[in-house]
Amino acid sequence: MFEFNRIKRLPPYVFAIVNTLKMEYRRKGEDIIDLGMGNPDMPAPKHVIDKLCEAAHNPRNHRYSASKGITQLRVAITEWYKRRYDVDLDPETEAVVTIGSKEGLSHLALATVQPGDVVMTPTPAYPIHPYSVIIAGGEISSIPIGPGMDFFEEMEKTFKKTWPRPKMLIINFPHNPTTQVVEGLDFFKKVVDFAKENNIIVIHDFAYADLVFDDYKAPSFLQVPGAKDVGVEFFSLTKSYSMAGWRVGFCCGNKDVVGALIKIKSYLDYGMFQPIQIASIVALRGPQDCVEEYRRIYESRRNVLIKGLNNAGWRVESPKATMFVWAEIPESFKKMGSLEFCKYLITEAKVAVSPGIGFGEGGDNYVRFALVENEHRIKQAVAGIKKVLNRG
């Protein structure tokens, strides 16, 4: 019997339990509407796909690529930041292409976190934020996040009661799974000042930069003067350009942190398939109306789901951003806990959602809906949920 200590530190993947039950019912012929995983259902933009196909026919593009990303893609990334946020970045030292932000976050933790180092992350959180640290041998100090909480105040409390003092802070706004947002740059200014004062590295995951609603605009961490002195920001083409399976992301900011990621990646991979990188240049430099079209679709789906749930008697706040709805479990079902409630929704409502407990402490009273089905299917899901709620 082999034992692997690093693997033993990882808990069972709660989402797999829900997914297994979903597949079990589908094999029986049941139509389960899947609003669980945040897996975009819309195709990538046509002009990006066309460029991929064109580049794939060039034999030179089938050779090994560069682990830190081809030069023109890194230049396109820095142009995107300048155009969008008026942030100046050096494509050689302050930008690295990653195989999706998940890979980048994981390898950055491996490059920068020593066994015994403490990293602060929100809870609940997107699992790779705390578990990239766990995999690297570090320790997590959790910052509660949720409705009615001042995240910065909670972060200060967590820092003061943590010893050894945290080395790093991983944050994510707009936030997955709670959908919480920050207004303006004031929050990030306080974070930068705090990081400088306490010698902390800041990692900001900006995956939902473009999925914003009701005239809300998400600020970039790197917009704050001095942000590059203390940290980096990750972005992914997954949501903004509906390129989930393409696995294209990037990390920008502090040259020492970016340099650490570049170095460790040079030992671990040869970069992604070059035609994907070439197509990504077209995505970043080409027409951006596709980004607005995806945003509008997600906003419309959000409106349908929120209206339907509230009409069914499930009071849910409308999120300002992300592709998710973070819903507190109705009182009459709360004692079940989020995992059992999710199982109940699959068996009785024929709807799959994500259990809040899978995102960590503070999540068990919630479930997460992903806006990854069309409006007709969302209405169908709400109808099934309404029948369940009426029984409770």
Side-chain angles (χ1 to χ4, degrees):
M1 186 71 178
F2 296 109
E3 287 196 356
F4 307 102
N5 288 335
R6 185 169 282 123
I7 298 303
K8 282 172 70 176
R9 292 190 70 193
L10 300 176
Y13 202 57
V14 172
F15 305 112
I17 298 170
V18 175
N19 194 57
T20 299
L21 184 61
K22 176 191 73 180
M23 295 310 297
E24 182 183 316
Y25 272 80
R26 282 183 169 174
R27 281 192 291 270
K28 292 177 183 176
E30 296 279 7
D31 178 21
I32 304 296
I33 300 169
D34 190 0
L35 302 177
M37 185 179 177
N39 191 2
D41 61 311
M42 293 171 279
K46 183 180 182 301
H47 65 283
V48 177
I49 297 171
D50 289 345
K51 191 64 180 180
L52 170 71
C53 295
E54 176 193 316
H57 284 292
N58 185 338
R60 288 178 299 179
N61 291 328
H62 289 247
R63 306 185 73 183
Y64 288 134
S65 187
S67 64
K68 69 177 183 177
I70 59 176
T71 301
Q72 280 304 305
L73 179 51
R74 285 182 281 111
V75 170
I77 289 162
T78 59
E79 291 170 350
W80 182 88
Y81 259 104
K82 182 65 177 175
R83 187 171 64 248
R84 289 283 303 270
Y85 304 108
D86 197 26
V87 171
D88 292 304
L89 292 163
D90 181 348
E92 286 302 315
T93 61
E94 297 177 332
V96 55
V97 179
T98 59
I99 307 172
S101 57
K102 193 172 183 181
E103 174 269 322
L105 282 158
S106 303
H107 284 147
L108 181 58
L110 205 58
T112 58
V113 175
Q114 309 282 344
D117 283 346
V118 179
V119 176
M120 294 189 292
T121 67
T123 185
Y126 180 50
I128 200 59
H129 294 160
Y131 287 110
S132 61
V133 176
I134 298 297
I135 291 167
E139 303 293 335
I140 289 296
S141 187
S142 297
I143 308 167
I145 185 171
M149 292 181 180
D150 184 312
F151 182 78
F152 189 81
E153 284 184 11
E154 295 296 335
M155 182 187 75
E156 288 183 308
K157 288 180 196 173
T158 300
F159 179 81
K160 287 173 183 175
K161 70 183 182 185
T162 301
W163 191 264
R165 292 299 192 208
K167 175 180 185 175
M168 182 181 288
L169 168 68
I170 300 176
I171 50 178
N172 162 222
F173 293 102
H175 184 252
N176 176 17
T178 70
T179 75
Q180 290 211 353
V181 299
V182 294
E183 302 286 349
L185 289 174
D186 288 348
F187 171 80
F188 287 137
K189 285 176 181 174
K190 289 195 291 185
V191 167
V192 169
D193 290 343
F194 183 84
K196 286 184 176 181
E197 183 181 338
N198 295 288
N199 195 31
I200 291 174
I201 300 166
V202 180
I203 313 296
H204 181 232
D205 184 355
F206 200 29
Y208 302 96
D210 293 303
L211 300 193
V212 291
F213 317 127
D214 306 328
D215 298 321
Y216 171 72
K217 302 295 181 188
S220 163
F221 167 72
L222 293 179
Q223 285 177 276
V224 175
K228 285 197 295 183
D229 296 337
V230 297
V232 295
E233 186 165 76
F234 279 91
F235 180 77
S236 166
L237 274 63
T238 292
K239 281 79 183 184
S240 297
Y241 299 90
S242 208
M243 294 168 61
W246 299 54
R247 308 313 303 130
V248 185
F250 44 87
C251 174
C252 297
N254 182 273
K255 63 182 181 181
D256 295 329
V257 178
V258 169
L261 183 52
I262 289 172
K263 186 163 187 177
I264 200 167
K265 279 177 63 63
S266 70
Y267 283 89
L268 296 171
D269 71 72
Y270 284 113
M272 69 192 74
F273 187 40
Q274 196 150 290
I276 291 176
Q277 297 190 59
I278 293 168
S280 298
I281 296 169
V282 170
L284 292 169
R285 286 179 172 165
Q288 300 296 298
D289 52 334
C290 55
V291 178
E292 173 60 16
E293 181 184 352
Y294 296 137
R295 189 204 66 77
R296 283 198 306 264
I297 290 170
Y298 283 118
E299 184 172 44
S300 183
R301 290 176 177 181
R302 176 207 64 167
N303 293 343
V304 169
L305 179 60
I306 293 293
K307 181 180 178 182
L309 290 175
N310 280 294
N311 287 344
W314 189 345
R315 301 298 169 205
V316 178
E317 290 293 319
S318 185
K320 288 186 177 181
T322 77
M323 59 190 297
F324 306 113
V325 169
W326 184 240
E328 188 169 4
I329 298 170
E331 202 61 42
S332 56
F333 294 93
K334 202 171 280 185
K335 62 183 180 294
M336 297 174 71
S338 59
L339 180 56
E340 290 305 314
F341 183 61
C342 285
K343 291 180 183 179
Y344 185 65
L345 287 182
I346 290 175
T347 57
E348 301 298 324
K350 304 299 183 280
V351 178
V353 297
S354 293
I357 191 64
F359 299 99
E361 187 181 347
D364 203 25
N365 284 337
Y366 294 82
V367 294
R368 193 195 70 179
F369 290 84
L371 303 170
V372 292
E373 289 274 11
N374 62 45
E375 291 181 23
H376 172 74
R377 294 280 283 170
I378 290 172
K379 289 176 182 176
Q380 188 180 338
V382 169
I385 290 170
K386 186 175 182 179
K387 291 178 184 176
V388 168
L389 295 181
N390 288 340
R391 294 179 209 159

